Amino acid sequence: MTNDRIYKMITLLVFLMGSLPRKTLNTISDRLGLLWFFIDKRHRNIVLENVDRAYPGKFTTPQLEVFAKKIFKNLASIIFEVAWSQRLTNDQLQKYIRIKGFKNLTKGHKKGRGVIVLTCHMSNFELMTTSLLNTDYQGFCLYRKLDFEPLDKWVHYSRQRYGIKMIPLRGASKKIVAILKQEGIVATLLDQNVGWYEGVWVNFFNRPACTNSRLAALAMKTGAPVVPLFARRVGENYILEFLPEVPVQVTGDRIKDIEINTQNFTMAVESMVRRCPEQYFWVHNRWKSKPYSLLPSKQIH
């Protein structure tokens, strides 16, 4: 089967899903989320371990499993909510979305250097592309292309539907600098593990996490303010909240500045996660990379 046919099948499936009543979609997604929890041992263990280490001593084993089930339900709901949103016009969809803290974005934009929007995999992060609907701002979003081309094509279409232009991560540096010089707004995620050769070590939930250093380098180079965007689901609605700008340190010590700025950005992400931990993307192995350490002296010959 050709990629074009698979893409059409994905589009049809999303259309059929979106035609169902929202309550029905919620029921289906909850049951699939529970099914996912029970059959996917690998990701279940990642979630249980991540949450237990992020909140040591907070949960008993039964409480931890209940919490993990909420996480899987939240993740399963994303695709169904996206399908539901596809049948709505932009004006209809905005009835379910509340934008808060927009003054933080406008304040940063007035500096004339564009804005870097810092966010993470919270709630239905696919709907964060609606945050600039009906504004005069031109938004761009960095993304990592999916390996499965038909699905990547559909996701690309879905995200750009709301006026946001997608930029593949590979080779994006020059494009981003040019966009910021033209006072554009660029959104990026900063909550995924990277290899030691790509990032710096910072604390995330009091544990060392290797974090991409490119955002800090970009903010230091361009002078663009960094404004966090926090998404959360409240009942049947969604709140997209622009938080106060995270100050960028530039002292001339590039290595130290990158470490400090990356830590500050990561703290902003952690503060978002702590507000709604059950809506976070805990299935990702955020602490996969391990810090370098010397062997004990007795093992050195």
Side-chain angles (χ1 to χ4, degrees):
M1 185 177 295
T2 65
N3 284 341
D4 185 57
R5 287 189 177 183
I6 296 174
Y7 171 75
K8 290 179 179 179
M9 288 180 62
I10 293 173
T11 302
L12 176 61
L13 178 60
V14 171
F15 172 79
L16 294 175
M17 288 169 55
S19 65
L20 295 173
R22 194 175 184 191
K23 288 185 178 181
T24 301
L25 291 175
N26 291 341
T27 300
I28 295 173
S29 67
D30 281 351
R31 292 179 179 177
L32 286 179
L34 288 176
L35 179 63
W36 182 12
F37 171 83
F38 285 113
I39 67 175
D40 189 348
K41 181 179 179 180
R42 174 174 171 267
H43 286 103
R44 180 175 71 246
N45 287 341
I46 289 175
V47 169
L48 293 172
E49 181 179 352
N50 282 346
V51 175
D52 188 47
R53 290 186 175 180
Y55 296 92
K58 181 176 181 178
F59 300 102
T60 63
T61 298
Q63 290 173 335
L64 183 58
E65 289 196 358
V66 170
F67 189 81
K69 288 175 183 177
K70 291 180 180 179
I71 293 167
F72 278 87
K73 285 182 179 181
N74 173 71
L75 294 173
S77 70
I78 291 175
I79 182 61
F80 291 91
E81 290 174 344
V82 169
W84 161 78
S85 70
Q86 295 294 305
R87 75 185 187 198
L88 304 179
T89 65
N90 290 349
D91 288 340
Q92 290 173 330
L93 181 59
Q94 283 198 306
K95 294 178 181 179
Y96 298 91
I97 296 176
R98 180 185 174 192
I99 307 295
K100 295 182 64 177
F102 199 75
K103 63 181 180 181
N104 291 316
L105 181 68
T106 56
K107 182 180 179 181
H109 194 264
K110 287 179 180 178
K111 296 182 178 181
R113 296 178 179 178
V115 177
I116 299 172
V117 172
L118 165 66
T119 190
C120 62
H121 291 86
M122 282 292 302
S123 183
N124 193 329
F125 48 86
E126 292 292 340
L127 293 181
M128 285 194 284
T129 54
T130 64
S131 58
L132 297 181
L133 269 175
N134 297 329
T135 71
D136 294 328
Y137 295 124
Q138 177 60 67
F140 300 82
C141 184
L142 294 172
Y143 81 107
R144 189 183 303 278
K145 295 188 69 173
L146 302 176
D147 294 331
F148 187 42
E149 184 177 329
L151 182 58
D152 180 76
K153 181 179 178 181
W154 188 87
V155 170
H156 193 271
Y157 153 76
S158 176
R159 290 172 175 172
Q160 292 200 145
R161 175 188 172 194
Y162 306 110
I164 299 292
K165 295 183 179 180
M166 306 304 296
I167 305 175
L169 274 173
R170 186 181 294 274
S173 298
K174 292 183 179 180
K175 292 180 182 179
I176 298 171
V177 172
I179 289 168
L180 293 174
K181 284 183 178 180
Q182 295 172 9
E183 300 186 22
I185 297 174
V186 180
T188 187
L189 298 146
L190 192 72
D191 62 340
Q192 292 188 298
N193 177 78
V194 296
W196 61 267
Y197 49 87
E198 295 182 87
V200 294
W201 294 97
V202 297
N203 285 327
F204 184 58
F205 282 85
N206 298 314
R207 295 176 61 197
C210 198
T211 305
N212 199 309
S213 60
R214 294 176 184 173
L215 175 57
L218 177 67
M220 291 161 54
K221 178 179 180 179
T222 62
V226 177
V227 177
L229 174 59
F230 171 46
R232 63 189 183 275
R233 185 188 297 102
V234 180
E236 297 290 302
N237 300 317
Y238 310 89
I239 296 178
L240 304 179
E241 183 177 0
F242 291 98
L243 303 176
E245 174 185 342
V246 180
V248 176
Q249 172 176 298
V250 182
T251 66
D253 186 337
R254 177 177 171 78
I255 294 177
K256 184 177 181 180
D257 287 345
I258 285 179
E259 290 177 347
I260 291 175
N261 289 322
T262 303
Q263 178 65 75
N264 290 340
F265 299 156
T266 302
M267 287 175 62
V269 169
E270 181 178 327
S271 71
M272 292 187 262
V273 177
R274 286 188 179 277
R275 289 173 67 178
C276 291
E278 72 282 359
Q279 295 186 30
Y280 185 57
F281 196 70
W282 291 106
V283 293
H284 173 65
N285 195 349
R286 181 66 178 90
W287 295 279
K288 182 178 181 180
S289 295
K290 304 301 180 185
Y292 171 80
S293 61
L294 293 173
L295 291 171
S297 57
K298 65 180 180 179
Q299 295 185 25
I300 300 176
H301 301 286

